[in-house]
Amino acid sequence: MNKKAVSVVIATLLLVLIVIIMAGLIFMFMNQITGKIIMLEGKNIQTVCNDVMFDADYADKIVYISNDGNVLIYRMEMIVYDDAGHYAKDLIDEQESGWPENGLGIGGAVSQKINIGDDVKKIVLVPILQGEADGKKELYNCGTSYGFELYLGN
């Protein structure tokens, strides 16, 4: 009787290889779910967003922002709502940007000329913080739930 089969050594190697591949896939999947944790002042940056407090006003295409909290606001995203829908842009990208290079410090204030159309109905200002993850500086957008809404009345 002539039986052909995979040798025990090859079968063992194949099983080990399959286990290693599965472990790698599980690791990559879990890493995507949990994401990286950005830290700021020893806390998860998501919880630091709760401490951000700022006030804003708008007149004649100029936005006035003051940092009333105890957290440095590194940047500010502006979400513009007009007749065509909405779009987002960073205030630092505006021409003649008055945004401080190292962020808006505690108690700081800035006025920023913005380039928007006459059909804009609302602007939402969303704070962006800077923390660290894996020894590298990372930006974190706090999201619209932490934003400040300015209604322009158009």
mmCIF file of all heavy atoms in Angstrom, residues 63-109:
data_model
loop_
_atom_site.group_PDB
_atom_site.id
_atom_site.type_symbol
_atom_site.label_atom_id
_atom_site.label_comp_id
_atom_site.label_asym_id
_atom_site.label_seq_id
_atom_site.Cartn_x
_atom_site.Cartn_y
_atom_site.Cartn_z
ATOM 1 N N VAL A 63 -13.237 87.079 13.130
ATOM 2 C CA VAL A 63 -13.615 86.227 14.263
ATOM 3 C C VAL A 63 -12.727 86.614 15.438
ATOM 4 O O VAL A 63 -11.506 86.731 15.294
ATOM 5 C CB VAL A 63 -13.422 84.733 13.916
ATOM 6 C CG1 VAL A 63 -13.670 83.855 15.129
ATOM 7 C CG2 VAL A 63 -14.329 84.319 12.789
ATOM 8 N N TYR A 64 -13.356 86.829 16.581
ATOM 9 C CA TYR A 64 -12.645 87.150 17.821
ATOM 10 C C TYR A 64 -12.746 85.939 18.744
ATOM 11 O O TYR A 64 -13.860 85.467 19.009
ATOM 12 C CB TYR A 64 -13.265 88.375 18.493
ATOM 13 C CG TYR A 64 -13.279 89.602 17.600
ATOM 14 C CD1 TYR A 64 -14.361 89.870 16.776
ATOM 15 C CD2 TYR A 64 -12.200 90.468 17.578
ATOM 16 C CE1 TYR A 64 -14.377 90.984 15.948
ATOM 17 C CE2 TYR A 64 -12.200 91.588 16.755
ATOM 18 C CZ TYR A 64 -13.295 91.842 15.948
ATOM 19 O OH TYR A 64 -13.292 92.938 15.134
ATOM 20 N N ILE A 65 -11.618 85.443 19.219
ATOM 21 C CA ILE A 65 -11.603 84.244 20.057
ATOM 22 C C ILE A 65 -10.775 84.525 21.308
ATOM 23 O O ILE A 65 -9.688 85.087 21.224
ATOM 24 C CB ILE A 65 -10.991 83.041 19.310
ATOM 25 C CG1 ILE A 65 -11.743 82.778 18.007
ATOM 26 C CG2 ILE A 65 -10.984 81.792 20.194
ATOM 27 C CD1 ILE A 65 -11.054 81.790 17.087
ATOM 28 N N SER A 66 -11.311 84.127 22.464
ATOM 29 C CA SER A 66 -10.544 84.226 23.712
ATOM 30 C C SER A 66 -10.527 82.868 24.401
ATOM 31 O O SER A 66 -11.540 82.168 24.432
ATOM 32 C CB SER A 66 -11.138 85.283 24.644
ATOM 33 O OG SER A 66 -12.435 84.918 25.048
ATOM 34 N N ASN A 67 -9.372 82.503 24.922
ATOM 35 C CA ASN A 67 -9.216 81.225 25.630
ATOM 36 C C ASN A 67 -9.506 81.468 27.109
ATOM 37 O O ASN A 67 -8.690 82.026 27.825
ATOM 38 C CB ASN A 67 -7.800 80.680 25.430
ATOM 39 C CG ASN A 67 -7.614 79.314 26.045
ATOM 40 O OD1 ASN A 67 -8.468 78.817 26.755
ATOM 41 N ND2 ASN A 67 -6.482 78.693 25.754
ATOM 42 N N ASP A 68 -10.682 81.037 27.564
ATOM 43 C CA ASP A 68 -11.113 81.260 28.944
ATOM 44 C C ASP A 68 -10.868 80.045 29.836
ATOM 45 O O ASP A 68 -11.193 80.081 31.016
ATOM 46 C CB ASP A 68 -12.611 81.607 28.967
ATOM 47 C CG ASP A 68 -12.921 82.841 28.142
ATOM 48 O OD1 ASP A 68 -12.027 83.706 28.009
ATOM 49 O OD2 ASP A 68 -14.042 82.933 27.597
ATOM 50 N N GLY A 69 -10.318 78.979 29.286
ATOM 51 C CA GLY A 69 -10.088 77.755 30.054
ATOM 52 C C GLY A 69 -8.657 77.675 30.554
ATOM 53 O O GLY A 69 -7.919 78.666 30.579
ATOM 54 N N ASN A 70 -8.276 76.473 30.959
ATOM 55 C CA ASN A 70 -6.920 76.261 31.474
ATOM 56 C C ASN A 70 -6.117 75.295 30.593
ATOM 57 O O ASN A 70 -5.235 74.613 31.073
ATOM 58 C CB ASN A 70 -6.966 75.766 32.920
ATOM 59 C CG ASN A 70 -7.752 74.481 33.053
ATOM 60 O OD1 ASN A 70 -8.219 73.928 32.062
ATOM 61 N ND2 ASN A 70 -7.893 74.005 34.263
ATOM 62 N N VAL A 71 -6.470 75.255 29.296
ATOM 63 C CA VAL A 71 -5.798 74.379 28.337
ATOM 64 C C VAL A 71 -5.385 75.208 27.128
ATOM 65 O O VAL A 71 -6.175 76.007 26.622
ATOM 66 C CB VAL A 71 -6.737 73.238 27.871
ATOM 67 C CG1 VAL A 71 -6.082 72.379 26.821
ATOM 68 C CG2 VAL A 71 -7.195 72.406 29.041
ATOM 69 N N LEU A 72 -4.160 75.039 26.667
ATOM 70 C CA LEU A 72 -3.694 75.720 25.467
ATOM 71 C C LEU A 72 -4.437 75.156 24.257
ATOM 72 O O LEU A 72 -4.509 73.939 24.084
ATOM 73 C CB LEU A 72 -2.184 75.495 25.292
ATOM 74 C CG LEU A 72 -1.589 76.129 24.045
ATOM 75 C CD1 LEU A 72 -0.450 77.051 24.435
ATOM 76 C CD2 LEU A 72 -1.119 75.083 23.087
ATOM 77 N N ILE A 73 -5.010 76.036 23.454
ATOM 78 C CA ILE A 73 -5.688 75.629 22.220
ATOM 79 C C ILE A 73 -4.675 75.795 21.101
ATOM 80 O O ILE A 73 -4.306 76.919 20.743
ATOM 81 C CB ILE A 73 -6.953 76.465 21.961
ATOM 82 C CG1 ILE A 73 -7.923 76.336 23.137
ATOM 83 C CG2 ILE A 73 -7.607 76.035 20.653
ATOM 84 C CD1 ILE A 73 -9.110 77.271 23.065
ATOM 85 N N TYR A 74 -4.202 74.690 20.563
ATOM 86 C CA TYR A 74 -3.111 74.736 19.592
ATOM 87 C C TYR A 74 -3.560 75.325 18.257
ATOM 88 O O TYR A 74 -2.858 76.127 17.657
ATOM 89 C CB TYR A 74 -2.511 73.342 19.401
ATOM 90 C CG TYR A 74 -1.246 73.366 18.586
ATOM 91 C CD1 TYR A 74 -0.075 73.912 19.104
ATOM 92 C CD2 TYR A 74 -1.219 72.870 17.290
ATOM 93 C CE1 TYR A 74 1.084 73.965 18.352
ATOM 94 C CE2 TYR A 74 -0.061 72.914 16.535
ATOM 95 C CZ TYR A 74 1.088 73.460 17.080
ATOM 96 O OH TYR A 74 2.230 73.515 16.333
ATOM 97 N N ARG A 75 -4.706 74.904 17.786
ATOM 98 C CA ARG A 75 -5.270 75.403 16.538
ATOM 99 C C ARG A 75 -6.784 75.466 16.677
ATOM 100 O O ARG A 75 -7.349 74.990 17.642
ATOM 101 C CB ARG A 75 -4.904 74.498 15.366
ATOM 102 C CG ARG A 75 -3.464 74.596 14.969
ATOM 103 C CD ARG A 75 -3.283 74.131 13.551
ATOM 104 N NE ARG A 75 -1.892 74.254 13.173
ATOM 105 C CZ ARG A 75 -1.297 73.471 12.314
ATOM 106 N NH1 ARG A 75 -1.966 72.497 11.733
ATOM 107 N NH2 ARG A 75 -0.033 73.646 12.007
ATOM 108 N N MET A 76 -7.430 76.001 15.645
ATOM 109 C CA MET A 76 -8.883 76.089 15.643
ATOM 110 C C MET A 76 -9.377 75.744 14.248
ATOM 111 O O MET A 76 -8.927 76.327 13.256
ATOM 112 C CB MET A 76 -9.329 77.493 16.036
ATOM 113 C CG MET A 76 -10.800 77.642 16.289
ATOM 114 S SD MET A 76 -11.407 76.849 17.806
ATOM 115 C CE MET A 76 -10.650 77.836 19.079
ATOM 116 N N GLU A 77 -10.270 74.770 14.185
ATOM 117 C CA GLU A 77 -10.907 74.424 12.911
ATOM 118 C C GLU A 77 -12.178 75.246 12.791
ATOM 119 O O GLU A 77 -12.878 75.467 13.769
ATOM 120 C CB GLU A 77 -11.233 72.936 12.862
ATOM 121 C CG GLU A 77 -11.922 72.526 11.580
ATOM 122 C CD GLU A 77 -12.327 71.067 11.562
ATOM 123 O OE1 GLU A 77 -13.006 70.624 12.505
ATOM 124 O OE2 GLU A 77 -11.950 70.385 10.609
ATOM 125 N N MET A 78 -12.461 75.690 11.593
ATOM 126 C CA MET A 78 -13.668 76.454 11.331
ATOM 127 C C MET A 78 -14.533 75.664 10.355
ATOM 128 O O MET A 78 -14.092 75.356 9.243
ATOM 129 C CB MET A 78 -13.281 77.815 10.745
ATOM 130 C CG MET A 78 -14.443 78.688 10.378
ATOM 131 S SD MET A 78 -13.937 80.344 9.820
ATOM 132 C CE MET A 78 -12.993 79.963 8.349
ATOM 133 N N ILE A 79 -15.742 75.328 10.771
ATOM 134 C CA ILE A 79 -16.686 74.654 9.884
ATOM 135 C C ILE A 79 -17.680 75.702 9.424
ATOM 136 O O ILE A 79 -18.362 76.324 10.248
ATOM 137 C CB ILE A 79 -17.388 73.477 10.577
ATOM 138 C CG1 ILE A 79 -16.344 72.492 11.110
ATOM 139 C CG2 ILE A 79 -18.348 72.789 9.614
ATOM 140 C CD1 ILE A 79 -16.915 71.387 11.960
ATOM 141 N N VAL A 80 -17.742 75.918 8.125
ATOM 142 C CA VAL A 80 -18.554 76.974 7.540
ATOM 143 C C VAL A 80 -19.788 76.357 6.894
ATOM 144 O O VAL A 80 -19.673 75.444 6.075
ATOM 145 C CB VAL A 80 -17.732 77.765 6.491
ATOM 146 C CG1 VAL A 80 -18.564 78.864 5.865
ATOM 147 C CG2 VAL A 80 -16.465 78.322 7.120
ATOM 148 N N TYR A 81 -20.966 76.866 7.261
ATOM 149 C CA TYR A 81 -22.230 76.401 6.696
ATOM 150 C C TYR A 81 -22.780 77.498 5.797
ATOM 151 O O TYR A 81 -23.056 78.609 6.257
ATOM 152 C CB TYR A 81 -23.236 76.083 7.803
ATOM 153 C CG TYR A 81 -22.830 74.908 8.652
ATOM 154 C CD1 TYR A 81 -21.960 75.056 9.719
ATOM 155 C CD2 TYR A 81 -23.326 73.641 8.375
ATOM 156 C CE1 TYR A 81 -21.582 73.980 10.500
ATOM 157 C CE2 TYR A 81 -22.956 72.545 9.151
ATOM 158 C CZ TYR A 81 -22.082 72.731 10.203
ATOM 159 O OH TYR A 81 -21.714 71.657 10.967
ATOM 160 N N ASP A 82 -22.925 77.173 4.504
ATOM 161 C CA ASP A 82 -23.476 78.134 3.553
ATOM 162 C C ASP A 82 -24.566 77.462 2.723
ATOM 163 O O ASP A 82 -24.975 76.330 3.020
ATOM 164 C CB ASP A 82 -22.372 78.741 2.680
ATOM 165 C CG ASP A 82 -21.588 77.703 1.884
ATOM 166 O OD1 ASP A 82 -22.080 76.566 1.726
ATOM 167 O OD2 ASP A 82 -20.484 78.030 1.417
ATOM 168 N N ASP A 83 -25.032 78.160 1.691
ATOM 169 C CA ASP A 83 -26.120 77.627 0.863
ATOM 170 C C ASP A 83 -25.744 76.322 0.161
ATOM 171 O O ASP A 83 -26.604 75.499 -0.132
ATOM 172 C CB ASP A 83 -26.546 78.659 -0.185
ATOM 173 C CG ASP A 83 -27.245 79.858 0.450
ATOM 174 O OD1 ASP A 83 -27.745 79.719 1.590
ATOM 175 O OD2 ASP A 83 -27.279 80.934 -0.187
ATOM 176 N N ALA A 84 -24.457 76.116 -0.116
ATOM 177 C CA ALA A 84 -24.010 74.917 -0.833
ATOM 178 C C ALA A 84 -23.789 73.717 0.091
ATOM 179 O O ALA A 84 -23.555 72.622 -0.375
ATOM 180 C CB ALA A 84 -22.724 75.222 -1.591
ATOM 181 N N GLY A 85 -23.824 73.911 1.382
ATOM 182 C CA GLY A 85 -23.568 72.829 2.337
ATOM 183 C C GLY A 85 -22.636 73.306 3.430
ATOM 184 O O GLY A 85 -22.851 74.372 4.005
ATOM 185 N N HIS A 86 -21.576 72.537 3.669
ATOM 186 C CA HIS A 86 -20.586 72.970 4.664
ATOM 187 C C HIS A 86 -19.210 72.435 4.297
ATOM 188 O O HIS A 86 -19.085 71.468 3.567
ATOM 189 C CB HIS A 86 -20.993 72.535 6.074
ATOM 190 C CG HIS A 86 -20.947 71.059 6.299
ATOM 191 N ND1 HIS A 86 -21.961 70.215 5.928
ATOM 192 C CD2 HIS A 86 -19.993 70.269 6.842
ATOM 193 C CE1 HIS A 86 -21.644 68.979 6.245
ATOM 194 N NE2 HIS A 86 -20.453 68.973 6.785
ATOM 195 N N TYR A 87 -18.201 73.131 4.811
ATOM 196 C CA TYR A 87 -16.819 72.727 4.604
ATOM 197 C C TYR A 87 -16.010 73.164 5.815
ATOM 198 O O TYR A 87 -16.425 74.036 6.572
ATOM 199 C CB TYR A 87 -16.249 73.316 3.308
ATOM 200 C CG TYR A 87 -16.267 74.833 3.243
ATOM 201 C CD1 TYR A 87 -15.173 75.577 3.664
ATOM 202 C CD2 TYR A 87 -17.383 75.516 2.756
ATOM 203 C CE1 TYR A 87 -15.178 76.966 3.608
ATOM 204 C CE2 TYR A 87 -17.393 76.892 2.698
ATOM 205 C CZ TYR A 87 -16.302 77.615 3.123
ATOM 206 O OH TYR A 87 -16.314 78.984 3.068
ATOM 207 N N ALA A 88 -14.870 72.526 5.987
ATOM 208 C CA ALA A 88 -14.022 72.826 7.140
ATOM 209 C C ALA A 88 -12.665 73.320 6.675
ATOM 210 O O ALA A 88 -12.158 72.896 5.639
ATOM 211 C CB ALA A 88 -13.852 71.575 7.998
ATOM 212 N N LYS A 89 -12.091 74.237 7.458
ATOM 213 C CA LYS A 89 -10.727 74.680 7.209
ATOM 214 C C LYS A 89 -10.111 75.145 8.521
ATOM 215 O O LYS A 89 -10.808 75.500 9.464
ATOM 216 C CB LYS A 89 -10.652 75.753 6.135
ATOM 217 C CG LYS A 89 -11.437 77.016 6.391
ATOM 218 C CD LYS A 89 -11.284 77.911 5.174
ATOM 219 C CE LYS A 89 -12.079 79.179 5.278
ATOM 220 N NZ LYS A 89 -11.874 80.051 4.129
ATOM 221 N N ASP A 90 -8.806 75.116 8.544
ATOM 222 C CA ASP A 90 -8.054 75.512 9.732
ATOM 223 C C ASP A 90 -7.869 77.025 9.701
ATOM 224 O O ASP A 90 -7.518 77.584 8.668
ATOM 225 C CB ASP A 90 -6.694 74.802 9.724
ATOM 226 C CG ASP A 90 -6.009 74.830 11.063
ATOM 227 O OD1 ASP A 90 -6.134 75.828 11.783
ATOM 228 O OD2 ASP A 90 -5.332 73.841 11.396
ATOM 229 N N LEU A 91 -8.111 77.688 10.834
ATOM 230 C CA LEU A 91 -7.937 79.137 10.875
ATOM 231 C C LEU A 91 -6.508 79.554 10.543
ATOM 232 O O LEU A 91 -6.277 80.631 10.008
ATOM 233 C CB LEU A 91 -8.299 79.673 12.271
ATOM 234 C CG LEU A 91 -9.768 79.979 12.522
ATOM 235 C CD1 LEU A 91 -9.962 80.546 13.916
ATOM 236 C CD2 LEU A 91 -10.340 80.922 11.497
ATOM 237 N N ILE A 92 -5.546 78.711 10.869
ATOM 238 C CA ILE A 92 -4.145 79.050 10.611
ATOM 239 C C ILE A 92 -3.851 79.119 9.119
ATOM 240 O O ILE A 92 -2.878 79.747 8.703
ATOM 241 C CB ILE A 92 -3.196 78.061 11.326
ATOM 242 C CG1 ILE A 92 -1.847 78.722 11.598
ATOM 243 C CG2 ILE A 92 -3.020 76.787 10.550
ATOM 244 C CD1 ILE A 92 -0.979 77.973 12.573
ATOM 245 N N ASP A 93 -4.710 78.522 8.293
ATOM 246 C CA ASP A 93 -4.518 78.535 6.844
ATOM 247 C C ASP A 93 -5.066 79.800 6.192
ATOM 248 O O ASP A 93 -4.874 80.012 4.997
ATOM 249 C CB ASP A 93 -5.185 77.313 6.203
ATOM 250 C CG ASP A 93 -4.518 76.016 6.628
ATOM 251 O OD1 ASP A 93 -3.327 76.059 7.000
ATOM 252 O OD2 ASP A 93 -5.193 74.975 6.603
ATOM 253 N N GLU A 94 -5.763 80.631 6.960
ATOM 254 C CA GLU A 94 -6.315 81.870 6.419
ATOM 255 C C GLU A 94 -5.196 82.852 6.086
ATOM 256 O O GLU A 94 -4.149 82.857 6.732
ATOM 257 C CB GLU A 94 -7.271 82.522 7.436
ATOM 258 C CG GLU A 94 -8.566 81.776 7.608
ATOM 259 C CD GLU A 94 -9.449 81.852 6.380
ATOM 260 O OE1 GLU A 94 -9.762 82.948 5.898
ATOM 261 O OE2 GLU A 94 -9.830 80.777 5.889
ATOM 262 N N GLN A 95 -5.428 83.679 5.092
ATOM 263 C CA GLN A 95 -4.454 84.724 4.766
ATOM 264 C C GLN A 95 -4.372 85.679 5.945
ATOM 265 O O GLN A 95 -5.355 85.897 6.658
ATOM 266 C CB GLN A 95 -4.893 85.490 3.519
ATOM 267 C CG GLN A 95 -4.807 84.668 2.264
ATOM 268 C CD GLN A 95 -5.283 85.460 1.060
ATOM 269 O OE1 GLN A 95 -6.016 86.418 1.183
ATOM 270 N NE2 GLN A 95 -4.866 85.022 -0.121
ATOM 271 N N GLU A 96 -3.210 86.272 6.132
ATOM 272 C CA GLU A 96 -2.986 87.209 7.233
ATOM 273 C C GLU A 96 -3.377 86.584 8.565
ATOM 274 O O GLU A 96 -4.023 87.203 9.408
ATOM 275 C CB GLU A 96 -3.770 88.508 7.017
ATOM 276 C CG GLU A 96 -3.458 89.208 5.717
ATOM 277 C CD GLU A 96 -4.371 90.383 5.463
ATOM 278 O OE1 GLU A 96 -4.883 90.983 6.418
ATOM 279 O OE2 GLU A 96 -4.585 90.685 4.278
ATOM 280 N N SER A 97 -3.012 85.337 8.752
ATOM 281 C CA SER A 97 -3.386 84.624 9.969
ATOM 282 C C SER A 97 -2.771 85.285 11.193
ATOM 283 O O SER A 97 -1.582 85.539 11.256
ATOM 284 C CB SER A 97 -2.927 83.160 9.900
ATOM 285 O OG SER A 97 -3.232 82.514 11.116
ATOM 286 N N GLY A 98 -3.631 85.582 12.158
ATOM 287 C CA GLY A 98 -3.158 86.155 13.412
ATOM 288 C C GLY A 98 -3.042 85.102 14.493
ATOM 289 O O GLY A 98 -2.774 85.420 15.651
ATOM 290 N N TRP A 99 -3.284 83.836 14.112
ATOM 291 C CA TRP A 99 -3.248 82.764 15.104
ATOM 292 C C TRP A 99 -1.819 82.589 15.610
ATOM 293 O O TRP A 99 -0.896 82.471 14.825
ATOM 294 C CB TRP A 99 -3.754 81.459 14.491
ATOM 295 C CG TRP A 99 -4.004 80.425 15.540
ATOM 296 C CD1 TRP A 99 -3.181 79.409 15.905
ATOM 297 C CD2 TRP A 99 -5.146 80.333 16.382
ATOM 298 N NE1 TRP A 99 -3.732 78.689 16.920
ATOM 299 C CE2 TRP A 99 -4.950 79.226 17.243
ATOM 300 C CE3 TRP A 99 -6.316 81.071 16.504
ATOM 301 C CZ2 TRP A 99 -5.882 78.845 18.205
ATOM 302 C CZ3 TRP A 99 -7.241 80.693 17.460
ATOM 303 C CH2 TRP A 99 -7.018 79.591 18.290
ATOM 304 N N PRO A 100 -1.642 82.563 16.937
ATOM 305 C CA PRO A 100 -0.281 82.415 17.488
ATOM 306 C C PRO A 100 0.361 81.099 17.049
ATOM 307 O O PRO A 100 -0.290 80.057 17.030
ATOM 308 C CB PRO A 100 -0.515 82.419 19.003
ATOM 309 C CG PRO A 100 -1.864 83.019 19.195
ATOM 310 C CD PRO A 100 -2.656 82.706 17.970
ATOM 311 N N GLU A 101 1.643 81.169 16.719
ATOM 312 C CA GLU A 101 2.368 80.008 16.205
ATOM 313 C C GLU A 101 2.355 78.837 17.187
ATOM 314 O O GLU A 101 2.264 77.685 16.793
ATOM 315 C CB GLU A 101 3.808 80.401 15.894
ATOM 316 C CG GLU A 101 4.596 79.324 15.212
ATOM 317 C CD GLU A 101 6.002 79.789 14.853
ATOM 318 O OE1 GLU A 101 6.166 80.960 14.486
ATOM 319 O OE2 GLU A 101 6.921 78.965 14.944
ATOM 320 N N ASN A 102 2.457 79.125 18.472
ATOM 321 C CA ASN A 102 2.478 78.068 19.494
ATOM 322 C C ASN A 102 1.116 77.822 20.125
ATOM 323 O O ASN A 102 1.024 77.191 21.170
ATOM 324 C CB ASN A 102 3.501 78.401 20.578
ATOM 325 C CG ASN A 102 4.909 78.420 20.036
ATOM 326 O OD1 ASN A 102 5.261 77.601 19.197
ATOM 327 N ND2 ASN A 102 5.709 79.364 20.489
ATOM 328 N N GLY A 103 0.059 78.332 19.528
ATOM 329 C CA GLY A 103 -1.282 78.117 20.034
ATOM 330 C C GLY A 103 -1.777 79.285 20.869
ATOM 331 O O GLY A 103 -1.014 80.161 21.270
ATOM 332 N N LEU A 104 -3.070 79.276 21.137
ATOM 333 C CA LEU A 104 -3.714 80.318 21.933
ATOM 334 C C LEU A 104 -3.623 79.933 23.401
ATOM 335 O O LEU A 104 -4.303 79.020 23.867
ATOM 336 C CB LEU A 104 -5.175 80.488 21.497
ATOM 337 C CG LEU A 104 -5.945 81.647 22.109
ATOM 338 C CD1 LEU A 104 -5.260 82.976 21.803
ATOM 339 C CD2 LEU A 104 -7.372 81.658 21.579
ATOM 340 N N GLY A 105 -2.743 80.629 24.105
ATOM 341 C CA GLY A 105 -2.472 80.299 25.500
ATOM 342 C C GLY A 105 -3.624 80.636 26.424
ATOM 343 O O GLY A 105 -4.597 81.308 26.056
ATOM 344 N N ILE A 106 -3.498 80.176 27.646
ATOM 345 C CA ILE A 106 -4.511 80.409 28.682
ATOM 346 C C ILE A 106 -4.654 81.907 28.895
ATOM 347 O O ILE A 106 -3.677 82.617 29.122
ATOM 348 C CB ILE A 106 -4.101 79.693 29.983
ATOM 349 C CG1 ILE A 106 -4.018 78.190 29.732
ATOM 350 C CG2 ILE A 106 -5.062 80.015 31.102
ATOM 351 C CD1 ILE A 106 -3.284 77.421 30.803
ATOM 352 N N GLY A 107 -5.882 82.405 28.790
ATOM 353 C CA GLY A 107 -6.151 83.831 28.937
ATOM 354 C C GLY A 107 -5.862 84.635 27.687
ATOM 355 O O GLY A 107 -6.079 85.845 27.663
ATOM 356 N N GLY A 108 -5.390 83.997 26.632
ATOM 357 C CA GLY A 108 -5.050 84.692 25.394
ATOM 358 C C GLY A 108 -6.268 84.995 24.539
ATOM 359 O O GLY A 108 -7.339 84.410 24.702
ATOM 360 N N ALA A 109 -6.085 85.932 23.627
ATOM 361 C CA ALA A 109 -7.158 86.297 22.704
ATOM 362 C C ALA A 109 -6.547 86.585 21.340
ATOM 363 O O ALA A 109 -5.378 86.960 21.237
ATOM 364 C CB ALA A 109 -7.907 87.515 23.218
#
